[in-house]
Amino acid sequence: MSRSVSGKAFDIGLFSRIFSYVKPYKKLFYGTLGIIVVLGALATTRPLLVQYTFDRYVMTGNLTDVIIMISVMFAMLIAEGLLQFTETWFTAMLGQNVIRDLRSQLLNHLLRFRLTYFDNTPVGTLVTRLVSDIQTIADVFSEGFLEIVSDMLKVIVIIIIMFSIDVKLSLITLSTIPVLLFATYIFKNAVKNAFQDVRNQVARLNAFVQEHITGMSIVQIFNREEKEFEKFREINKKHRDANVRSIWYYSVFFPVVEVLSAISTGLLIWWGGKEIVGEQVSVGLILAFLMYLNMLFRPIRQLADRFNTLQMGMVGSERVFRILDTNESIIDSGTLDASEIRGKVEFRNVSFSYKENDWVLRNISFKASPGEKIALVGRTGAGKSSVINLVNRFYEHQQGDILIDDIDIREYTLESLRKNIVYVLQDVFLFSDTIANNISLNDPSISREQVIAAAKALGADEFISRLPGGYDFNVKERGGMLSVGQRQLISFVRAYVFNPKVLILDEATSSVDSQSEAVIQQAIEKLTKGRTSVVIAHRLATIRNADTILVFDHGEIVERGSHDVLLKEKGYYKELYEMQFKWLQPAV
């Protein structure tokens, strides 16, 4: 597992892990370090040139050499500016390359998680990890570690030069540095906690906003606008307070630095002025010390900020690595290819629970022969959806065996298994893209002609052709530009064009009008013809022609048989059937 940085200012193990992503970009990294060293040399040389020019030429009135030296310093400034541009560009490129690789790895990791993980983790929190938290890792390179190296190099070189020129004057002018370092330490620790709180509040804010915008229709239908807004105001207030705390620390720290810098400058002028009068030091040396003090306090002030940028990056990376270290992926150890399966599906004494020992399914056994249609019926919560979620391994069963063509589904590769078992949801999800791309899911092996042919076969071509742009019509987010029935038809066309050996269908006629139901029912008949189908039935009239009907109650199969057989048994199925068609019974 990844280490937590919550109790530490710095974690070398976590830091090393971040830098492991730099390996593909070693040349860029070492090139940047080389530029930093050159920049440090150029910057610290300038005050010495000013001292030399002032004492050697200005004080003697040698204007020709003054102009030459100014030209040299101007050329050095241009070179320094170009190097600073290159350093900024290189560090930004390094950071962006690293987070591109890390973001790709994180999303690739998430794509293989069990659905249980997403059931228990807010989408907004994952968005924060993928976007905001990873961005803080880029700042480790562009504003954190490399800038810290640059600033510390300058500080060390400046102090060495100052003491090599005049030890006494250096001790006097730098007497405020211990106070500054102590203030920096206090500031760094205080703002670190504030930044951690900021990241937590950002995650809460993202999760709330994402959830409530997605569920806006429910908020408005039940007149919850004011109540939900009050919740948002409270979360937003905590987000603001966390940011204000960090700003407050900055508002105290920066004036402290300025005061200490002014004191050091005053000490330099006071003591240096006396030395000049006594002809113990030159005017050029005092000017050089003034420049060095300015160059010294600026990076020291920035160091606290740099360390906190580094700390924020480490907090963000700790959260990202926590997901990368989470073992929620379905074990894909199978070696068999499911592309040649005939479609025989069998459950043998299967038991399953989402939570330990809270069994949703108990000893479920049934068999569907190739091309056979099996229907699952029962009250809400009886276990029907859990059965179909197990067939293509969205969840893993704990007991019993699930077989495809008499082979355990775990022996097939996960990719080939899911490629040959298509699950059509009742709640259809469409991406913000064209109808054609939503059908083919951008699979290059599925041609435009195949998409159109599938739509014609299932009766969807008529309404698609009437849309602006036809198959190039953008359905917008979640297919919001289409009706429920149109979205269902597109989901059937999608399943049809992928030509699965086994079809799992969460029957789609429960939320549509009678006219759409008739079209969809015809599409279902064509879609299920000739392939093994497992159907969750909400309207019992739609499954009269099923080969076998399994009646579920409290996670168990309580009845099984054809429609006519189950009605004759006068059991639980007949009770469910009569409840649905009670309104058709003649009044007494």
Side-chain angles (χ1 to χ4, degrees):
M1 293 293 292
S2 60
R3 305 184 188 192
S4 173
V5 298
S6 57
K8 299 181 181 181
F10 187 79
D11 188 317
I12 188 63
L14 191 59
F15 185 72
S16 299
R17 187 170 180 182
I18 295 172
F19 262 78
S20 67
Y21 289 87
V22 177
K23 289 181 180 178
Y25 313 104
K26 284 182 179 179
K27 291 182 180 178
L28 193 60
F29 177 73
Y30 288 119
T32 305
L33 282 180
I35 291 172
I36 287 173
V37 172
V38 175
L39 273 173
L42 284 175
T44 53
T45 301
R46 202 182 321 126
L48 293 176
L49 290 176
V50 169
Q51 177 187 355
Y52 181 82
T53 302
F54 202 89
D55 290 342
R56 181 65 64 91
Y57 304 122
V58 174
M59 297 301 290
T60 60
N62 188 345
L63 296 180
T64 301
D65 288 333
V66 168
I67 293 173
I68 293 173
M69 293 302 296
I70 290 175
S71 299
V72 171
M73 284 186 277
F74 183 72
M76 290 178 63
L77 281 172
I78 293 176
E80 191 175 339
L82 291 173
L83 286 171
Q84 285 176 342
F85 166 80
T86 306
E87 181 208 358
T88 302
W89 177 263
F90 280 11
T91 53
M93 283 289 293
L94 183 63
Q96 291 302 316
N97 279 321
V98 166
I99 66 169
R100 179 199 61 188
D101 296 346
L102 187 54
R103 188 174 282 130
S104 296
Q105 182 186 359
L106 180 61
L107 183 58
N108 188 47
H109 189 60
L110 283 170
L111 287 172
R112 287 160 173 74
F113 274 14
R114 298 181 179 92
L115 291 184
T116 308
Y117 180 84
F118 300 102
D119 293 340
N120 299 320
T121 307
V123 174
T125 299
L126 294 177
V127 171
T128 302
R129 301 293 177 264
L130 269 163
V131 181
S132 302
D133 286 336
I134 284 186
Q135 185 58 48
T136 63
I137 298 175
D139 295 337
V140 169
F141 300 95
S142 60
E143 301 175 23
F145 173 74
L146 292 173
E147 294 300 326
I148 288 173
V149 171
S150 177
D151 289 342
M152 293 189 69
L153 181 63
K154 288 178 183 177
V155 168
I156 293 170
V157 172
I158 288 170
I159 290 175
I160 291 173
I161 292 175
M162 289 177 71
F163 272 93
S164 65
I165 295 173
D166 192 313
V167 174
K168 193 173 184 180
L169 189 58
S170 298
L171 286 172
I172 292 171
T173 55
L174 298 180
S175 59
T176 59
I177 292 297
V179 180
L180 176 61
L181 293 177
F182 179 73
T184 301
Y185 175 79
I186 297 297
F187 166 75
K188 177 174 65 65
N189 287 337
V191 84
K192 177 195 72 174
N193 295 326
F195 280 155
Q196 288 176 334
D197 194 17
V198 167
R199 301 311 310 160
N200 289 332
Q201 298 307 324
V202 166
R204 287 189 63 204
L205 196 62
N206 284 345
F208 183 92
V209 170
Q210 190 277 334
E211 183 177 38
H212 283 72
I213 289 178
T214 302
M216 186 60 70
S217 59
I218 300 300
V219 173
Q220 294 182 353
I221 287 170
F222 289 94
N223 195 31
R224 294 286 300 175
E225 292 92 339
E226 292 298 325
K227 294 293 184 182
E228 298 306 317
F229 181 67
E230 286 301 316
K231 292 180 183 178
F232 175 79
R233 286 185 63 182
E234 182 63 26
I235 295 173
N236 200 27
K237 177 178 177 293
K238 290 181 178 180
H239 178 263
R240 179 205 64 187
D241 292 344
N243 279 282
V244 166
R245 279 195 297 276
S246 66
I247 293 169
W248 186 85
Y249 292 129
Y250 278 99
S251 67
V252 172
F253 176 69
F254 285 163
V256 169
V257 176
E258 293 301 324
V259 168
L260 293 174
S261 176
I263 291 173
S264 289
T265 303
L267 289 171
L268 173 63
I269 294 173
W270 167 67
W271 186 264
K274 286 171 42 178
E275 295 291 295
I276 290 174
V277 172
E279 297 183 352
Q280 299 296 313
V281 298
S282 66
V283 175
L285 185 142
I286 299 301
L287 287 175
F289 262 65
L290 280 172
M291 292 180 69
Y292 278 130
L293 279 179
N294 182 56
M295 293 171 63
L296 185 66
F297 274 85
R298 183 169 55 189
I300 289 179
R301 186 180 77 170
Q302 291 175 336
L303 272 174
D305 215 13
R306 310 287 195 205
F307 271 114
N308 283 308
T309 297
L310 180 63
Q311 180 65 26
M312 284 186 68
M314 294 183 69
V315 170
S317 65
E318 188 268 343
R319 292 175 176 179
V320 170
F321 291 143
R322 187 183 301 157
I323 296 178
L324 287 174
D325 292 339
T326 299
N327 186 21
E328 285 289 344
S329 300
I330 292 190
I331 299 173
D332 186 14
S333 58
T335 56
L336 300 180
D337 187 351
S339 60
E340 299 300 324
I341 61 172
R342 294 179 296 112
K344 180 182 178 182
V345 178
E346 184 177 1
F347 275 53
R348 292 180 184 169
N349 302 316
V350 173
S351 295
F352 167 70
S353 66
Y354 294 100
K355 298 179 181 179
E356 188 174 359
N357 295 325
D358 184 10
W359 299 106
V360 178
L361 298 176
R362 299 179 180 86
N363 296 318
I364 299 298
S365 296
F366 67 87
K367 185 186 299 183
S369 301
E372 192 175 4
K373 184 177 180 179
I374 300 289
L376 313 181
V377 303
R379 291 190 175 92
T380 301
K384 306 183 298 296
S385 296
S386 298
V387 169
I388 61 178
N389 280 330
L390 295 178
V391 177
N392 46 10
R393 299 187 66 192
F394 287 145
Y395 297 87
E396 296 281 56
H397 58 285
Q398 287 85 14
Q399 296 178 11
D401 300 297
I402 301 176
L403 311 173
I404 301 289
D405 286 2
D406 299 318
I407 297 174
D408 193 300
I409 57 173
R410 292 175 175 137
E411 294 187 28
Y412 294 105
T413 64
L414 197 59
E415 180 182 1
S416 68
L417 183 72
R418 290 181 176 174
K419 189 175 182 179
N420 289 279
I421 301 177
V422 169
Y423 182 4
V424 180
L425 295 164
Q426 179 187 0
D427 183 15
V428 179
F429 187 95
L430 298 181
F431 295 95
S432 181
D433 203 339
T434 66
I435 287 179
N437 288 339
N438 267 289
I439 292 173
S440 68
L441 295 178
N442 293 297
D443 189 330
S445 66
I446 299 175
S447 67
R448 178 84 163 207
E449 290 72 24
Q450 289 176 290
V451 169
I452 296 173
K456 288 180 178 179
L458 297 186
D461 179 71
E462 183 180 350
F463 92 81
I464 295 174
S465 299
R466 292 198 303 265
L467 294 170
Y471 288 85
D472 293 318
F473 177 73
N474 193 310
V475 301
K476 303 301 181 182
E477 186 175 0
R478 300 180 69 88
M481 300 298 290
L482 303 177
S483 69
V484 174
Q486 290 171 335
R487 292 199 296 269
Q488 286 290 0
L489 277 174
I490 288 176
S491 72
F492 292 147
V493 177
R494 177 195 289 168
Y496 189 81
V497 82
F498 275 87
N499 193 28
K501 302 296 177 60
V502 178
L503 176 69
I504 299 174
L505 183 63
D506 192 346
E507 193 196 26
T509 59
S510 59
S511 302
V512 297
D513 55 66
S514 299
Q515 184 177 358
S516 298
E517 180 179 353
V519 176
I520 290 173
Q521 194 59 45
Q522 290 178 7
I524 291 175
E525 292 302 320
K526 291 181 180 178
L527 186 60
T528 57
K529 186 176 181 180
R531 56 171 56 91
T532 307
S533 304
V534 182
V535 180
I536 289 183
H538 300 287
R539 295 185 181 181
L540 301 186
T542 64
I543 57 164
R544 291 180 178 180
N545 63 345
D547 296 293
T548 303
I549 297 172
L550 305 177
V551 184
F552 280 76
D553 186 38
H554 294 92
E556 297 179 324
I557 298 175
V558 294
E559 294 177 13
R560 69 180 72 204
S562 67
H563 173 76
D564 294 334
V565 169
L566 290 175
L567 285 181
K568 290 178 182 178
E569 289 183 0
K570 298 181 180 181
Y572 190 46
Y573 179 78
K574 184 177 182 181
E575 179 185 340
L576 291 174
Y577 189 81
E578 289 178 345
M579 286 177 62
Q580 284 197 11
F581 292 93
K582 187 177 181 180
W583 60 276
L584 290 175
Q585 302 299 323
V588 178

